[in-house]
Amino acid sequence: LADALGSDMALDQKWQLRVARGLCAALAGLHACGACHGSLSPRTVSVDSDGSMVLEEAGFVDALLTSEVLSEHDLLAVLGVEYARYLAPEGWQVPRTVGMEADVWALGLVLLQVLCPGSSRPHAECSNLTQLSSKVLPKRGRDASSALQAAACLPDAQRRAVEECLRAAPEARPRAGDLLFRFRSPEAEA
């Protein structure tokens, strides 16, 4: 998906909506099995020109932690800024308190990139974890306002869906399956 976002197909609204629905459906299926992705980003999604997609590396971060290849204290330092760009605020804590809600946060950021052609990766101006944490971590319960500015390009229903994904309180975020029908094709609305 990271490569596809820079191509001409990413400008096609039908492709964008197919990818958005596919992301929501795939994540909902993973969550229905009781599993979490843990590192959702454009880098961990394979997508074809028709918009069909596959999630990759699902559960990889948890596997690294469970097998003690990594400790929670080393997680951000080892996986770096590109991993942390899509990490929900609760994922920055030690011990981590991440789950399906953190996947939905990452989903919101990926949806922004898919649905707003030409938008850059989240907080592209940040080159290190200190800069990134000052942008990502909400202040006293406020939502991720800097990421939400990019959502202004979206139609109202899609903008609201992305805003809900990026709520500061994890329990206030929607389930991935609840988002699926918020990304209808234009023909479905006619």
PDB file of all heavy atoms in Angstrom, residues 96-121:
ATOM      1  N   ARG A  96       2.477  -1.565  27.840  1.00  0.00           N
ATOM      2  CA  ARG A  96       1.519  -1.169  26.804  1.00  0.00           C
ATOM      3  C   ARG A  96       0.125  -1.632  27.187  1.00  0.00           C
ATOM      4  O   ARG A  96      -0.040  -2.679  27.787  1.00  0.00           O
ATOM      5  CB  ARG A  96       1.871  -1.823  25.466  1.00  0.00           C
ATOM      6  CG  ARG A  96       3.129  -1.358  24.864  1.00  0.00           C
ATOM      7  CD  ARG A  96       3.451  -2.051  23.542  1.00  0.00           C
ATOM      8  NE  ARG A  96       3.022  -3.429  23.500  1.00  0.00           N
ATOM      9  CZ  ARG A  96       2.437  -3.991  22.440  1.00  0.00           C
ATOM     10  NH1 ARG A  96       2.220  -3.313  21.357  1.00  0.00           N
ATOM     11  NH2 ARG A  96       2.074  -5.254  22.470  1.00  0.00           N
ATOM     12  N   THR A  97      -0.844  -0.841  26.830  1.00  0.00           N
ATOM     13  CA  THR A  97      -2.242  -1.234  27.039  1.00  0.00           C
ATOM     14  C   THR A  97      -2.950  -1.183  25.689  1.00  0.00           C
ATOM     15  O   THR A  97      -3.923  -0.471  25.524  1.00  0.00           O
ATOM     16  CB  THR A  97      -2.938  -0.294  28.045  1.00  0.00           C
ATOM     17  OG1 THR A  97      -2.792   1.050  27.574  1.00  0.00           O
ATOM     18  CG2 THR A  97      -2.352  -0.429  29.422  1.00  0.00           C
ATOM     19  N   VAL A  98      -2.405  -1.899  24.733  1.00  0.00           N
ATOM     20  CA  VAL A  98      -2.961  -1.857  23.381  1.00  0.00           C
ATOM     21  C   VAL A  98      -3.822  -3.071  23.115  1.00  0.00           C
ATOM     22  O   VAL A  98      -3.683  -4.108  23.742  1.00  0.00           O
ATOM     23  CB  VAL A  98      -1.854  -1.763  22.312  1.00  0.00           C
ATOM     24  CG1 VAL A  98      -1.095  -0.471  22.449  1.00  0.00           C
ATOM     25  CG2 VAL A  98      -0.913  -2.942  22.386  1.00  0.00           C
ATOM     26  N   GLY A  99      -4.712  -2.889  22.189  1.00  0.00           N
ATOM     27  CA  GLY A  99      -5.609  -3.962  21.781  1.00  0.00           C
ATOM     28  C   GLY A  99      -6.293  -3.559  20.495  1.00  0.00           C
ATOM     29  O   GLY A  99      -5.734  -2.824  19.680  1.00  0.00           O
ATOM     30  N   MET A 100      -7.509  -4.007  20.335  1.00  0.00           N
ATOM     31  CA  MET A 100      -8.259  -3.723  19.120  1.00  0.00           C
ATOM     32  C   MET A 100      -8.449  -2.227  18.911  1.00  0.00           C
ATOM     33  O   MET A 100      -8.442  -1.747  17.786  1.00  0.00           O
ATOM     34  CB  MET A 100      -9.603  -4.447  19.176  1.00  0.00           C
ATOM     35  CG  MET A 100      -9.452  -5.942  19.165  1.00  0.00           C
ATOM     36  SD  MET A 100     -11.038  -6.774  19.368  1.00  0.00           S
ATOM     37  CE  MET A 100     -10.465  -8.425  19.742  1.00  0.00           C
ATOM     38  N   GLU A 101      -8.596  -1.495  20.001  1.00  0.00           N
ATOM     39  CA  GLU A 101      -8.789  -0.046  19.907  1.00  0.00           C
ATOM     40  C   GLU A 101      -7.559   0.628  19.300  1.00  0.00           C
ATOM     41  O   GLU A 101      -7.678   1.611  18.553  1.00  0.00           O
ATOM     42  CB  GLU A 101      -9.085   0.555  21.285  1.00  0.00           C
ATOM     43  CG  GLU A 101     -10.354   0.049  21.920  1.00  0.00           C
ATOM     44  CD  GLU A 101     -10.167  -1.259  22.710  1.00  0.00           C
ATOM     45  OE1 GLU A 101      -9.035  -1.801  22.745  1.00  0.00           O
ATOM     46  OE2 GLU A 101     -11.163  -1.736  23.275  1.00  0.00           O
ATOM     47  N   ALA A 102      -6.374   0.130  19.617  1.00  0.00           N
ATOM     48  CA  ALA A 102      -5.144   0.688  19.045  1.00  0.00           C
ATOM     49  C   ALA A 102      -5.066   0.384  17.550  1.00  0.00           C
ATOM     50  O   ALA A 102      -4.580   1.213  16.767  1.00  0.00           O
ATOM     51  CB  ALA A 102      -3.921   0.146  19.775  1.00  0.00           C
ATOM     52  N   ASP A 103      -5.545  -0.787  17.150  1.00  0.00           N
ATOM     53  CA  ASP A 103      -5.616  -1.097  15.719  1.00  0.00           C
ATOM     54  C   ASP A 103      -6.534  -0.104  15.003  1.00  0.00           C
ATOM     55  O   ASP A 103      -6.249   0.314  13.877  1.00  0.00           O
ATOM     56  CB  ASP A 103      -6.161  -2.512  15.498  1.00  0.00           C
ATOM     57  CG  ASP A 103      -5.137  -3.612  15.712  1.00  0.00           C
ATOM     58  OD1 ASP A 103      -3.927  -3.315  15.863  1.00  0.00           O
ATOM     59  OD2 ASP A 103      -5.556  -4.788  15.719  1.00  0.00           O
ATOM     60  N   VAL A 104      -7.642   0.263  15.644  1.00  0.00           N
ATOM     61  CA  VAL A 104      -8.592   1.196  15.027  1.00  0.00           C
ATOM     62  C   VAL A 104      -7.951   2.583  14.889  1.00  0.00           C
ATOM     63  O   VAL A 104      -8.180   3.282  13.896  1.00  0.00           O
ATOM     64  CB  VAL A 104      -9.921   1.239  15.813  1.00  0.00           C
ATOM     65  CG1 VAL A 104     -10.818   2.370  15.335  1.00  0.00           C
ATOM     66  CG2 VAL A 104     -10.632  -0.108  15.680  1.00  0.00           C
ATOM     67  N   TRP A 105      -7.130   2.988  15.849  1.00  0.00           N
ATOM     68  CA  TRP A 105      -6.392   4.255  15.734  1.00  0.00           C
ATOM     69  C   TRP A 105      -5.524   4.225  14.473  1.00  0.00           C
ATOM     70  O   TRP A 105      -5.553   5.145  13.654  1.00  0.00           O
ATOM     71  CB  TRP A 105      -5.521   4.465  16.974  1.00  0.00           C
ATOM     72  CG  TRP A 105      -4.587   5.620  16.888  1.00  0.00           C
ATOM     73  CD1 TRP A 105      -3.378   5.667  16.258  1.00  0.00           C
ATOM     74  CD2 TRP A 105      -4.769   6.925  17.448  1.00  0.00           C
ATOM     75  NE1 TRP A 105      -2.799   6.902  16.397  1.00  0.00           N
ATOM     76  CE2 TRP A 105      -3.640   7.692  17.131  1.00  0.00           C
ATOM     77  CE3 TRP A 105      -5.786   7.504  18.209  1.00  0.00           C
ATOM     78  CZ2 TRP A 105      -3.480   9.017  17.522  1.00  0.00           C
ATOM     79  CZ3 TRP A 105      -5.631   8.821  18.601  1.00  0.00           C
ATOM     80  CH2 TRP A 105      -4.500   9.562  18.263  1.00  0.00           C
ATOM     81  N   ALA A 106      -4.739   3.160  14.328  1.00  0.00           N
ATOM     82  CA  ALA A 106      -3.871   3.023  13.158  1.00  0.00           C
ATOM     83  C   ALA A 106      -4.698   2.984  11.874  1.00  0.00           C
ATOM     84  O   ALA A 106      -4.321   3.577  10.857  1.00  0.00           O
ATOM     85  CB  ALA A 106      -3.007   1.776  13.286  1.00  0.00           C
ATOM     86  N   LEU A 107      -5.841   2.298  11.922  1.00  0.00           N
ATOM     87  CA  LEU A 107      -6.742   2.249  10.775  1.00  0.00           C
ATOM     88  C   LEU A 107      -7.150   3.661  10.359  1.00  0.00           C
ATOM     89  O   LEU A 107      -7.148   3.983   9.171  1.00  0.00           O
ATOM     90  CB  LEU A 107      -7.975   1.404  11.108  1.00  0.00           C
ATOM     91  CG  LEU A 107      -9.083   1.362  10.057  1.00  0.00           C
ATOM     92  CD1 LEU A 107      -8.591   0.703   8.777  1.00  0.00           C
ATOM     93  CD2 LEU A 107     -10.303   0.630  10.615  1.00  0.00           C
ATOM     94  N   GLY A 108      -7.502   4.499  11.321  1.00  0.00           N
ATOM     95  CA  GLY A 108      -7.876   5.880  11.002  1.00  0.00           C
ATOM     96  C   GLY A 108      -6.773   6.629  10.276  1.00  0.00           C
ATOM     97  O   GLY A 108      -7.027   7.346   9.298  1.00  0.00           O
ATOM     98  N   LEU A 109      -5.540   6.447  10.703  1.00  0.00           N
ATOM     99  CA  LEU A 109      -4.413   7.116  10.045  1.00  0.00           C
ATOM    100  C   LEU A 109      -4.178   6.574   8.637  1.00  0.00           C
ATOM    101  O   LEU A 109      -3.899   7.344   7.702  1.00  0.00           O
ATOM    102  CB  LEU A 109      -3.146   6.972  10.891  1.00  0.00           C
ATOM    103  CG  LEU A 109      -3.173   7.718  12.230  1.00  0.00           C
ATOM    104  CD1 LEU A 109      -1.944   7.368  13.052  1.00  0.00           C
ATOM    105  CD2 LEU A 109      -3.286   9.214  12.018  1.00  0.00           C
ATOM    106  N   VAL A 110      -4.308   5.260   8.467  1.00  0.00           N
ATOM    107  CA  VAL A 110      -4.138   4.659   7.141  1.00  0.00           C
ATOM    108  C   VAL A 110      -5.277   5.098   6.225  1.00  0.00           C
ATOM    109  O   VAL A 110      -5.049   5.435   5.054  1.00  0.00           O
ATOM    110  CB  VAL A 110      -4.042   3.124   7.237  1.00  0.00           C
ATOM    111  CG1 VAL A 110      -4.010   2.497   5.840  1.00  0.00           C
ATOM    112  CG2 VAL A 110      -2.805   2.712   8.023  1.00  0.00           C
ATOM    113  N   LEU A 111      -6.500   5.139   6.742  1.00  0.00           N
ATOM    114  CA  LEU A 111      -7.639   5.601   5.941  1.00  0.00           C
ATOM    115  C   LEU A 111      -7.434   7.026   5.453  1.00  0.00           C
ATOM    116  O   LEU A 111      -7.783   7.347   4.310  1.00  0.00           O
ATOM    117  CB  LEU A 111      -8.940   5.494   6.744  1.00  0.00           C
ATOM    118  CG  LEU A 111      -9.477   4.087   6.971  1.00  0.00           C
ATOM    119  CD1 LEU A 111     -10.637   4.110   7.955  1.00  0.00           C
ATOM    120  CD2 LEU A 111      -9.875   3.427   5.663  1.00  0.00           C
ATOM    121  N   LEU A 112      -6.874   7.874   6.283  1.00  0.00           N
ATOM    122  CA  LEU A 112      -6.578   9.247   5.853  1.00  0.00           C
ATOM    123  C   LEU A 112      -5.672   9.250   4.641  1.00  0.00           C
ATOM    124  O   LEU A 112      -5.887  10.005   3.689  1.00  0.00           O
ATOM    125  CB  LEU A 112      -5.902  10.031   6.980  1.00  0.00           C
ATOM    126  CG  LEU A 112      -6.790  10.800   7.918  1.00  0.00           C
ATOM    127  CD1 LEU A 112      -5.957  11.448   9.023  1.00  0.00           C
ATOM    128  CD2 LEU A 112      -7.588  11.847   7.181  1.00  0.00           C
ATOM    129  N   GLN A 113      -4.642   8.425   4.662  1.00  0.00           N
ATOM    130  CA  GLN A 113      -3.719   8.380   3.531  1.00  0.00           C
ATOM    131  C   GLN A 113      -4.370   7.814   2.275  1.00  0.00           C
ATOM    132  O   GLN A 113      -4.088   8.276   1.172  1.00  0.00           O
ATOM    133  CB  GLN A 113      -2.483   7.558   3.890  1.00  0.00           C
ATOM    134  CG  GLN A 113      -1.572   8.274   4.876  1.00  0.00           C
ATOM    135  CD  GLN A 113      -0.323   7.469   5.133  1.00  0.00           C
ATOM    136  OE1 GLN A 113      -0.284   6.696   6.077  1.00  0.00           O
ATOM    137  NE2 GLN A 113       0.662   7.639   4.290  1.00  0.00           N
ATOM    138  N   VAL A 114      -5.253   6.829   2.447  1.00  0.00           N
ATOM    139  CA  VAL A 114      -5.920   6.215   1.302  1.00  0.00           C
ATOM    140  C   VAL A 114      -6.944   7.173   0.700  1.00  0.00           C
ATOM    141  O   VAL A 114      -7.027   7.323  -0.521  1.00  0.00           O
ATOM    142  CB  VAL A 114      -6.604   4.890   1.714  1.00  0.00           C
ATOM    143  CG1 VAL A 114      -7.526   4.369   0.621  1.00  0.00           C
ATOM    144  CG2 VAL A 114      -5.553   3.850   2.071  1.00  0.00           C
ATOM    145  N   LEU A 115      -7.732   7.831   1.536  1.00  0.00           N
ATOM    146  CA  LEU A 115      -8.863   8.633   1.071  1.00  0.00           C
ATOM    147  C   LEU A 115      -8.516  10.075   0.729  1.00  0.00           C
ATOM    148  O   LEU A 115      -9.309  10.765   0.091  1.00  0.00           O
ATOM    149  CB  LEU A 115      -9.971   8.606   2.131  1.00  0.00           C
ATOM    150  CG  LEU A 115     -10.546   7.220   2.410  1.00  0.00           C
ATOM    151  CD1 LEU A 115     -11.415   7.252   3.650  1.00  0.00           C
ATOM    152  CD2 LEU A 115     -11.320   6.697   1.208  1.00  0.00           C
ATOM    153  N   CYS A 116      -7.357  10.542   1.148  1.00  0.00           N
ATOM    154  CA  CYS A 116      -6.911  11.909   0.840  1.00  0.00           C
ATOM    155  C   CYS A 116      -5.649  11.809  -0.012  1.00  0.00           C
ATOM    156  O   CYS A 116      -4.528  11.883   0.517  1.00  0.00           O
ATOM    157  CB  CYS A 116      -6.627  12.699   2.110  1.00  0.00           C
ATOM    158  SG  CYS A 116      -8.058  12.994   3.136  1.00  0.00           S
ATOM    159  N   PRO A 117      -5.803  11.611  -1.317  1.00  0.00           N
ATOM    160  CA  PRO A 117      -4.637  11.434  -2.184  1.00  0.00           C
ATOM    161  C   PRO A 117      -3.636  12.577  -2.017  1.00  0.00           C
ATOM    162  O   PRO A 117      -4.009  13.734  -1.909  1.00  0.00           O
ATOM    163  CB  PRO A 117      -5.226  11.438  -3.593  1.00  0.00           C
ATOM    164  CG  PRO A 117      -6.660  11.109  -3.418  1.00  0.00           C
ATOM    165  CD  PRO A 117      -7.050  11.629  -2.063  1.00  0.00           C
ATOM    166  N   GLY A 118      -2.401  12.202  -1.970  1.00  0.00           N
ATOM    167  CA  GLY A 118      -1.346  13.202  -1.832  1.00  0.00           C
ATOM    168  C   GLY A 118      -1.016  13.542  -0.393  1.00  0.00           C
ATOM    169  O   GLY A 118      -0.051  14.264  -0.136  1.00  0.00           O
ATOM    170  N   SER A 119      -1.806  13.053   0.564  1.00  0.00           N
ATOM    171  CA  SER A 119      -1.478  13.342   1.958  1.00  0.00           C
ATOM    172  C   SER A 119      -0.242  12.538   2.339  1.00  0.00           C
ATOM    173  O   SER A 119      -0.019  11.437   1.851  1.00  0.00           O
ATOM    174  CB  SER A 119      -2.644  13.019   2.887  1.00  0.00           C
ATOM    175  OG  SER A 119      -2.947  11.650   2.854  1.00  0.00           O
ATOM    176  N   SER A 120       0.561  13.107   3.184  1.00  0.00           N
ATOM    177  CA  SER A 120       1.796  12.433   3.582  1.00  0.00           C
ATOM    178  C   SER A 120       1.525  11.485   4.741  1.00  0.00           C
ATOM    179  O   SER A 120       0.448  11.482   5.320  1.00  0.00           O
ATOM    180  CB  SER A 120       2.850  13.463   3.973  1.00  0.00           C
ATOM    181  OG  SER A 120       2.411  14.196   5.097  1.00  0.00           O
ATOM    182  N   ARG A 121       2.526  10.702   5.074  1.00  0.00           N
ATOM    183  CA  ARG A 121       2.383   9.815   6.226  1.00  0.00           C
ATOM    184  C   ARG A 121       2.185  10.678   7.469  1.00  0.00           C
ATOM    185  O   ARG A 121       2.573  11.853   7.474  1.00  0.00           O
ATOM    186  CB  ARG A 121       3.578   8.891   6.346  1.00  0.00           C
ATOM    187  CG  ARG A 121       4.881   9.583   6.643  1.00  0.00           C
ATOM    188  CD  ARG A 121       6.030   8.589   6.538  1.00  0.00           C
ATOM    189  NE  ARG A 121       7.208   9.108   7.160  1.00  0.00           N
ATOM    190  CZ  ARG A 121       8.142   9.817   6.549  1.00  0.00           C
ATOM    191  NH1 ARG A 121       8.025  10.100   5.269  1.00  0.00           N
ATOM    192  NH2 ARG A 121       9.188  10.256   7.201  1.00  0.00           N
TER     193      ARG A 121
END
